[in-house]
Amino acid sequence: MRSLFWAGCSWLLPRGAGIRAPRISAVTTAHRSPWSPALLPASGSSPSVSVGLLGSPAPQRWASQLNVPPSALMVARPAGICSMMKLPIQASAEGLDAAFIGVPLDTGTSNRPGARFGPRQLRAESAMLRRYNGSSGAAPFDSLRVADLGDVNVNLYNLPDSCRLIRQAYQQILASGCVPLTLGGDHTITYPILQAMAGKHGPVGLVHVDAHTDTGDTALGEKIYHGTPFRRCVEEGLLDCSRVLQGFRVVPAEECWGKSLVPLMEEVRRQMGDKPVYISFDIDGLDPAYAPGTGTPEVAGLTPAQGLEIIRGCQGLNIVGCDLVEVAPMYDVSGNTALLGANLLFEMLCVLPGVKTM
């Protein structure tokens, strides 16, 4: 913790006070046009933005080529392009170890719509996040090269076509060796993402946090919507069903009330082993007292602390991708649901393979 404190306080020291000043260098240029068919720039951003503030290049780690979020001691939180944690926006995943991607789709919702605006609000609230994890000591931006890849250009009028677009976008991302962290969007999006995942890794294990199992068959005659993604995944052989927690080994919320979930996550790690694992976190798995901004809230859910225990308990697993879905900002004018979701995404980044601790 001393080194973590020192790293944070070093920004307060004058140049030449015994610590090397942060070197400012240009961000790697995009490898293809930001107006590609699959991916669009981040919600609320311009397709031709320079990654920095008023023309200046984005801050990077001292004497390295890794991207780091700018400190609020140097750049005002409300200033700058709306990207996840104010990270550089790239049009390609080439050269990245991990990336945030938005999927602004809510065509598959069964109750209140609005999750299409989730990626935008998650990015806006992420300005409150810091570059180090003060609890676990994880230093993801000292360990991995991370950027924001913008949004998948979904088809709001055709859900199967949106699934095709999402699948193709993630196939490109995974082909580069990048681990995607997804900003949803309703839970339908996990189905085409897992299609791409299985294409690269084979059937994957799943840690699924949700107020619902999402294993339905049809609704109103339709087989694709946010209540069916994991049934479709099982039918297509995308999941290793011996390593699926929530939809297949069900842990009801009642069993979690008033308890630490650290012992449960010890069991989960044994169950998952060293094979590829995907984390899918529906914000409605948390009690609506903490996360009211979602389309299908259910009472008596988990607490934010338990959500953190679940994600931190995944450290050491072979995580190949993550998503945070179902944030619908208009049902929480405080922004706290999106702020909670942004923190959970940061926690997912912190437990990826290769992330070091200070």
Side-chain angles (χ1 to χ4, degrees):
M1 290 303 296
R2 179 178 297 177
S3 59
L4 178 61
F5 176 77
W6 184 250
C9 291
S10 63
W11 288 97
L12 300 173
L13 298 177
R15 194 177 292 269
I19 281 189
R20 182 173 182 177
R23 181 174 70 87
I24 306 298
S25 59
V27 174
T28 304
T29 56
H31 296 272
R32 57 187 172 84
S33 165
W35 290 109
S36 68
L39 291 170
L40 291 176
S43 301
S45 66
S46 162
S48 58
V49 298
S50 155
V51 182
L53 189 63
L54 297 182
S56 61
Q60 294 183 319
R61 185 185 178 214
W62 306 340
S64 83
Q65 294 300 311
L66 297 180
N67 302 324
V68 299
S71 169
L73 300 176
M74 299 180 66
V75 178
R77 285 196 172 102
I81 299 300
C82 190
S83 67
M84 189 66 180
M85 297 185 70
K86 296 183 181 291
L87 286 165
I89 301 170
Q90 291 190 195
S92 168
E94 292 296 328
L96 297 178
D97 300 302
F100 295 101
I101 308 100
V103 185
L105 181 72
D106 62 3
T107 313
T109 52
S110 59
N111 192 40
R112 304 186 302 194
R116 68 181 65 183
F117 302 110
R120 182 174 299 176
Q121 193 68 27
L122 287 163
R123 287 184 173 108
E125 299 299 338
S126 73
M128 284 295 296
L129 301 179
R130 278 82 175 175
R131 68 184 65 173
Y132 299 106
N133 191 315
S135 298
S136 68
F141 303 106
D142 291 354
S143 312
L144 307 175
R145 185 171 180 84
V146 189
D148 189 324
L149 291 181
D151 292 334
V152 177
N153 185 21
V154 294
N155 183 345
L156 297 177
Y157 311 116
N158 187 319
L159 195 52
D161 190 49
S162 284
C163 289
R164 177 186 64 82
L165 292 167
I166 295 166
R167 181 176 61 254
Q168 290 178 350
Y170 278 76
Q171 286 170 340
Q172 292 181 0
I173 293 166
L174 294 172
S176 71
C178 176
V179 176
L181 298 103
T182 302
L183 292 63
D186 74 55
H187 223 151
T188 310
I189 70 174
T190 306
Y191 167 45
I193 293 173
L194 286 175
Q195 286 180 319
M197 287 285 169
K200 180 176 177 63
H201 300 289
V204 298
L206 175 70
V207 176
H208 172 206
V209 182
D210 202 321
H212 316 91
T213 61
D214 293 352
T215 55
D217 188 11
T218 64
L220 303 179
E222 298 298 327
K223 297 180 74 68
I224 300 176
Y225 80 107
H226 74 164
T228 63
F230 299 112
R231 189 184 189 102
R232 302 286 87 87
C233 288
V234 170
E235 291 172 347
E236 296 182 18
L238 311 180
L239 296 175
D240 177 355
C241 293
S242 66
R243 298 187 304 119
V244 176
L245 180 78
Q246 167 67 22
F248 306 89
R249 177 194 170 189
V250 179
V251 181
E254 289 86 347
E255 294 184 11
C256 303
W257 289 348
K259 296 180 182 178
S260 168
L261 300 188
V262 171
L264 172 64
M265 294 312 296
E266 292 176 357
E267 297 179 32
V268 171
R269 287 195 297 274
R270 289 194 296 269
Q271 179 182 355
M272 294 298 160
D274 59 359
K275 296 179 181 179
V277 176
Y278 188 86
I279 301 174
S280 187
F281 201 118
D282 189 325
I283 202 72
D284 72 23
L286 303 183
D287 192 272
Y290 308 105
T294 189
T296 315
E298 303 285 356
V299 301
L302 303 179
T303 68
Q306 290 174 316
L308 293 181
E309 286 181 324
I310 291 171
I311 297 174
R312 292 175 184 173
C314 292
Q315 186 172 19
L317 296 180
N318 182 14
I319 301 168
V320 295
C322 312
D323 64 49
L324 188 286
V325 298
E326 299 284 358
V327 171
M330 64 282 295
Y331 308 116
D332 182 5
V333 295
S334 72
N336 284 341
T337 303
L339 176 62
L340 177 53
N343 275 272
L344 293 173
L345 281 161
F346 175 65
E347 294 285 343
M348 293 175 191
L349 175 65
C350 288
V351 297
L352 292 186
V355 172
K356 304 172 184 176
T357 56
M358 296 191 65

